């Protein structure tokens, strides 16, 4: 804490923890705090955040509350979805992809307000601290980053609450005890981890889920929908044009209703340990499947397989916090290059946890019934060609076999 | 057809098509035919294959009917599952993985019977011809391969049936018309393609499915199961030890009942065109998810991520027919090396098309509650370490940012 | 040869072989032949090609002789060099990279002249047929491609010469016997293969080399040069601005003089066999080393390592003839994205076969003496950070070790 | 320094710096020091190390001086060479590969002597600290690691020497001033960095080189040698069988004489900054080229290309210190699997900095003159097969072109 800090921009949710941080920054550094509260579609009222900030002495012009939902989906979620990114085979990176956007705004606001530091409420054990800080440093190499959870001595819930009360921060009743799990939410997903989820052999209790109905309680009748894509991005639901955030929100409603997008995962954190998380990505899961569906008829094999080979690295980069790294941008350039003709319509069946692609069509389809048919193909394909194709593919294997017998 | 053939081993199902091929080989080459009929768990009676072969003059000692189910699962399916292989993100390679085994037996039988050629009933448009032939050449570089569908002029169903009748081959009534789709089946999966599936916008009609109930008709109550793994391979279901094929068969029953493992896919064939297939892999889908589940707590991050990066290439090799190629074996060596401690138990919930991992435990677990807990961790992890970790990971990004601003 | 051909554009060198092909096309197809002779910097007079074409009845307006040297270097060689592409670790792809350009012009000329086919003089055993034809089909899917070496029955040199004489094609004295090796040349390289090179244990005889002096005969005094780069491409030699082709030509002179760029290689052809080739890439070798040199101070580690990982696939695509495939273009997009700041100056020492980078500087250098110094760095780097960095990188290994002991 | 240390094993060279560390450990921790001095072929007398240790009070039974040259080459250098590993395209990893072996012995000796810690003399800015420590933790997760350069306050040369004199450590005259560069040496290479090398635009002064003559001073006559390989490892020089370390030492002599293996490189450190190093790897450079040479005729294309794709990651793992990580071992398993038939003889020409493969032969050669010949091949290869091969490889490109025109 030797650094002298004049003014710090805090990623502020309005909740107890970041309120304590706000005060702690004022007390510890004797500095001015600027608050930034992002509406990422987490579904919480943001008004109270403003009130609390005012109460704690933040100047009105230093209270930033921004609706960044469209930017979030358009510039972060959709580019990532173009890559079909899933970390460790399954996780749709809902938390990971929001962090760079928050850092970007923190750094921008720091510039606007002449602040010399930014601060976040992520702990020292998780990935989010890495994501916040790598993004901040990549965007402003001179910025200072304060991570109170790594620095203070409020190492237990009791200590935190005592400190809050001592500093006149109101502590809601339901925050007095230990929360049974902690969550992060935005328009793409809600994640939960900790406490009741810490034994990976125990099934996630149903009360942990907040964004989806239990598939067993979902409608008994399937629902069919269509999603239209243009150049790799979703543009319409059931034929109705929608902005990125509106589309994702509408898919979230559908996914919630049909119990789609629940994921119970043990994953490998960048900081070195395994953790068990529960994710709900209702609209994202539907969208991800639809995107693969439209690619399946519009993307050439070479492009599709290259994308599949690059995906694990791309997903790992986002998970680890390297959104603003040159290698992520290089991969994005390759991926985006492939999406020019990824346009058309995908039809999906939603039913009790399943989101299945059942149809796809496109003006740019590469699927050729004429070539694939078992019927007479009017000369589109000469089966004799296959003999030579196989012979030359086999040649090296034959030479090997001759040698090794 | 200039090659002179003395004796040929035919992959013989006993069905109409391969019966026509049997006769056609006799007529065209004036050669002896040896038949090989594999019980891969496709669920068909194999007795009739013997009778028909006898009727067409195959010597009794030249009729091979082998139960290869255990070998299939143990030496082909399970090694592939260790890799979490899915072609183009989804396809569990049920047909691809059976072909090398059939070729292996064809080549072995050719050696035993002094045959100079092998023959198969795959068409000139598909991947199977490639898989059969690459495997055969890799195992015996001098073997001749006959692919009648590429060579004869029976290019329509009508021509084929006429030829059959002309040569006294009985044509069952239901084979007279065109089949609305064609199928391949084994213990791992059933695939269907062609005709009614040729328009990728049209939903697969329900009558195409044969291995699974429609999720809508599956039980309304979830079923929980456990699968035990030893060194990367499944060894028990619900605590009851089972051989590989027995385990997969039991999982197939469960998957069938709960409507699990249906996949409607447009895929890219090795021969260059796209095709639309419908796959049912009931037990395989459950097994694949369980395997990832046990890996999630027993595999180190470095190993897990390397596997994810190698997987697309590995799956492509199997899909393209390169099972017996050195690069597949190299990848297998890497994958198998990772599986030594992949032992433990996975608990899954099966419900209307979903097979969800809900618990995993292992004597070799790398998951450490002590490290991950939000509670006091008794010094297992020093949050201060994260600051240095982030600083050095950020260093190159800061240097970049300094340069580029 | 059932296809009826009206007019065909032939890649015509003016040499004996393509002259025979010209005549053979006229005789076999009764079609008009359009000739295309490219000046790729192969260092041959192109006038005689015109005369011979006229003599064989090609219409003057159907004789295309184009200087494509600048296009070749700017649009093919330089983009490839941005990737640091070397096939199988060594080969700088001098032949591979010229073929797509030739095919592109063949297809363009076919359009201009209303031709329905293109023809080339590559044999059925090599890679060039694949490169020519994949490129042609990718640019015009309806074009017909004629590859006489695969179709005719002139399977021996004697037969070819007899046919030539029978059709009044002059046969130069030195072409009567078998050539001891065959060559391909352009501004980037000369390759030689065949006959005297066919035993890979025998050293390449000195008379095979044509583009470089033997290092033993090169000057005894080193020569120092500088190359300037802008955005990944060479722009100046020793401070003097040059066009791409001019720069490569000047580097060729330097490389020739100092015996640089000889390579004796056994490589794996796409068609399945191994071949032994001898390559001389004098200027290309110098340029390739210089490019890596300038990247070493201007490219971030993440970008550099991603490039290294992608390179083998990129090189393989070019070697195999997939220049115009979407996956090559995707990789190019990623590579080009990385080159924006790859500007600066590299200093090299040329001496008897060696081209060694001895200095590099750039206005965009990421090299920071301040960070790397053993001296006091004024706080640029806190060595304590390394402790946390190592601790967290070690965490998974420690957890593994605890489990496995 | 809060940890209480009982006994520590120090990687001790006998030089001034590690002598200061030895004393500093005794003074700071009041602990017993065990010294480990490895003969890695660095070419220094090890006797003095023993004497100095004795003088500083180390018990005779706690002074370990081991000749690990054979283990180093057999178990570390050769396995790495099987992968053709070069970091960032060029660096043969001479320092990186020695660190895991030293750590392995440190941990073994800690066990033998009941020590609870190990210590090394690497600074906090370099890669070596990471390599030492990751290896140590991977082999004993409970070991403590002391890195005095990160902990003490001897931040200048003057301070170090003052401290040495104050503690009766003899300071040789030539160590009083600043060394113009620092070096690391073992049987594989010598590296130099720092001071006079810190400006990457300045050519490395000749006096920095110690392991090779300047190519300009090397013999004017080339020397031809042969190296025999068995299963991927070198076993003989010029027909004379040699142990791994003996072979590498003999190649070092040859490389030194002919000025081979000098490398001037700006590289990216794992800790985030770029550094400029000068490497001399005389025997290693010859060996690496020879290994690629023998692979070129004995390795299948699929295996060779997979190796090339895996190599950058493998090299990065070694560079970053992850020798004992599971993913390095997985890659090694794949690589080793490929080497079974990599046996035979390579002939090289050594001349003024060049080590060129000029011949290779093997009882397991896959090179088939019969297939590759321009002459009549007696039916080994049917050129007509190439037509079908190209057609099917082109099919997807044609479908793309039809769509996109």
């Amino acid at each position: 804490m030797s650094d002298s800090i004049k003014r710090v921009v805090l990623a502020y949710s309005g909740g107890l923890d970041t309120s304590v941080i706000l005060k702690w920054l004022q007390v510890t550094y004797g500095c001015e705090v600027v608050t930034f509260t992002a509406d990422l579609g987490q579904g919480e009222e943001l008004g109270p955040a403003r009130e609390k900030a005012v109460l704690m002495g933040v100047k009105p012009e230093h209270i930033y509350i921004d609706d960044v939902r469209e930017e979030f989906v358009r510039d972060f979620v959709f580019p990532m979805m173009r890559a079909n990114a899933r970390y460790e085979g399954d996780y749709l990176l809902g938390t990971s992809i929001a962090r760079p956007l928050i850092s970007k705004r923190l750094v921008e606001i720091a510039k606007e307000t002449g602040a010399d530091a930014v601060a976040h409420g992520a702990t020292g054990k998780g990935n989010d601290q890495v994501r916040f800080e790598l993004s901040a440093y990549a965007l402003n190499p001179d910025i200072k980053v304060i991570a109170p959870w790594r620095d203070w001595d409020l190492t237990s819930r009791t200590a935190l609450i005592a400190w809050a009360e001592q500093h006149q921060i109101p502590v809601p009743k339901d925050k007095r005890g230990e929360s049974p799990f902690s969550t992060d939410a935005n328009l793409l997903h809600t994640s939960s981890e900790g406490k009741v989820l810490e034994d990976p052999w125990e099934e996630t209790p149903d009360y942990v889920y907040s964004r989806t109905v239990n598939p067993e309680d979902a409608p008994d009748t399937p629902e069919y929908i269509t999603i239209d894509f243009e150049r790799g991005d979703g543009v319409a639901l059931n034929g109705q044009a929608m902005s990125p955030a509106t589309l994702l929100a509408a898919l979230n409603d559908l996914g919630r209703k049909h119990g789609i997008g629940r994921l119970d995962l043990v994953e490998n954190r960048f900081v070195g340990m395994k953790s068990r998380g529960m994710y709900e990505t209702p609209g994202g899961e539907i969208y991800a499947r639809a995107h693969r569906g439209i690619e399946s008829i519009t993307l050439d094999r070479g492009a599709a397989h290259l994308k599949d080979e690059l995906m694990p690295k791309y997903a790992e980069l986002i998970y680890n916090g390297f959104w603003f790294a040159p290698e992520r941008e290089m991969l994005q350039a390759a991926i985006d290059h492939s999406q020019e003709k990824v346009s058309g319509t995908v039809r999906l069946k939603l039913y009790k946890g399943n989101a299945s692609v059942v149809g796809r069509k496109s003006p740019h389809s590469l699927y050729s019934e004429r070539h694939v048919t078992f019927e007479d193909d009017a000369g589109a394909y000469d089966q004799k060609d296959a003999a030579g194709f196989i012979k030359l593919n086999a040649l090296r294997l034959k030479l090997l076999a001759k040698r090794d017998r």
Side-chain angles (χ1 to χ4, degrees), chain A:
Chain A
M1 256 141 294
S2 57
D3 290 344
S4 139
I5 301 288
K6 273 187 352 222
R7 187 174 289 164
V8 58
V9 188
L10 168 65
Y12 182 55
S13 73
L16 175 62
D17 288 18
T18 49
S19 294
V20 170
I21 289 175
L22 201 169
K23 176 64 76 181
W24 183 87
L25 290 169
Q26 293 169 328
V27 169
T28 306
Y29 292 94
C31 67
E32 254 193 325
V33 178
V34 177
T35 61
F36 167 56
T37 307
D39 183 356
L40 282 153
Q42 62 270 48
E44 282 171 12
E45 293 282 320
L46 303 183
R50 180 182 303 277
E51 291 160 32
K52 287 186 193 166
V54 170
L55 275 175
M56 284 195 282
V58 179
K59 294 182 192 160
E61 70 270 25
H62 280 173
I63 300 176
Y64 285 75
I65 299 187
D66 298 355
D67 180 349
V68 294
R69 288 176 297 174
E70 287 295 346
E71 182 182 4
F72 176 49
V73 182
R74 184 189 64 231
D75 294 345
F76 293 81
V77 177
F78 275 13
M80 178 179 81
M81 288 284 179
R82 283 176 219 140
N84 303 319
R86 290 183 188 255
Y87 181 68
E88 300 193 341
D90 282 311
Y91 171 38
L92 283 166
L93 295 161
T95 297
S96 325
I97 192 61
R99 300 322 193 190
L101 169 53
I102 295 172
S103 283
K104 176 171 163 279
R105 287 297 294 138
L106 288 175
V107 168
E108 288 167 354
I109 294 170
K111 193 174 179 197
E112 287 166 32
T113 59
D116 48 347
V118 298
H120 63 78
T123 80
K125 285 193 162 182
N127 297 301
D128 284 334
Q129 57 177 339
V130 190
R131 295 165 186 153
F132 279 127
E133 298 177 30
L134 292 184
S135 292
Y137 291 133
L139 296 171
N140 180 349
D142 296 325
I143 201 82
K144 289 171 192 148
V145 181
I146 306 175
W149 282 101
R150 292 201 306 258
D151 289 334
W152 66 25
D153 49 4
L154 305 176
T155 53
S156 73
R157 198 78 203 156
T158 316
L160 183 85
I161 287 167
W163 198 94
E165 296 187 328
Q166 184 187 338
H167 291 83
Q168 283 77 46
I169 301 169
V171 179
K173 257 195 186 146
D174 64 334
K175 297 286 179 186
R176 295 206 159 262
E178 300 276 349
S179 166
F181 56 91
S182 82
T183 65
D184 173 66
N186 59 46
L187 199 54
L188 181 55
H189 93 339
T190 294
S191 69
S192 304
E193 53 183 16
K195 305 249 169 37
V196 301
L197 300 171
E198 281 186 7
D199 179 352
W201 177 246
E202 289 301 316
E203 188 171 1
T204 301
D206 204 58
Y207 64 80
V208 176
Y209 295 96
S210 62
R211 289 277 285 266
T212 51
V213 306
N214 189 326
E216 290 147 71
D217 302 326
D220 290 327
T221 312
E223 181 169 359
Y224 286 85
I225 63 166
T226 62
I227 302 177
D228 293 349
F229 286 86
E230 290 284 346
R231 298 172 168 257
D233 291 338
V235 295
L237 174 65
N238 293 327
Q240 191 176 342
M242 292 185 184
S243 74
T246 314
L247 175 60
L248 186 51
L251 291 174
N252 277 335
D253 290 341
L254 287 163
R256 164 190 287 276
K257 175 178 164 192
H258 291 286
I260 290 163
R262 293 180 167 198
L263 174 66
D264 172 341
L265 189 71
V266 175
E267 78 200 41
N268 293 290
R269 288 193 187 153
F270 187 29
V271 292
M273 82 272 280
K274 287 181 184 290
S275 72
R276 195 261 194 105
M278 189 286 298
Y279 301 105
E280 292 172 276
T281 320
E285 182 67 34
I286 300 171
Y287 186 91
R289 292 189 176 274
H291 184 262
R292 267 209 176 267
I294 191 63
E295 282 195 342
S296 75
I297 55 166
T298 56
L299 219 58
D300 166 71
R301 183 183 71 205
H305 288 202
L306 178 57
K307 286 189 70 209
D308 282 351
E309 284 188 33
L310 299 179
M311 190 276 279
K313 186 175 193 71
Y314 177 91
E316 185 185 67
L317 285 168
I318 293 179
Y319 185 86
N320 289 354
F322 290 94
W323 178 263
F324 291 112
E327 63 273 32
R328 201 279 309 170
E329 292 169 3
M330 286 169 66
L331 291 173
Q332 194 72 54
I335 288 157
D336 289 354
H337 189 278
S338 74
Q339 302 289 297
E340 201 189 349
K341 299 293 172 78
V342 178
S343 306
T345 304
V346 177
R347 192 159 171 262
L348 299 108
K349 176 183 171 183
L350 313 180
Y351 175 68
K352 285 187 181 288
N354 301 282
S356 313
V357 172
V358 297
R360 49 311 248 171
K361 66 180 177 184
S362 168
H364 304 298
S365 178
L366 290 166
Y367 178 87
S368 164
E369 276 189 49
R370 218 175 120 231
H371 276 84
V372 83
T373 187
F374 287 121
E375 314 292 302
D376 186 353
D377 64 6
Y381 180 96
D382 182 351
Q383 302 206 18
K384 299 264 188 302
D385 289 338
F389 179 73
I390 296 170
K391 279 278 174 62
L392 292 209
N393 272 298
L395 180 51
R396 66 182 177 96
L397 303 178
K398 289 169 89 165
L399 291 167
L400 261 178
K402 274 178 202 286
R403 178 189 75 179
D404 293 338
R405 69 182 154 193

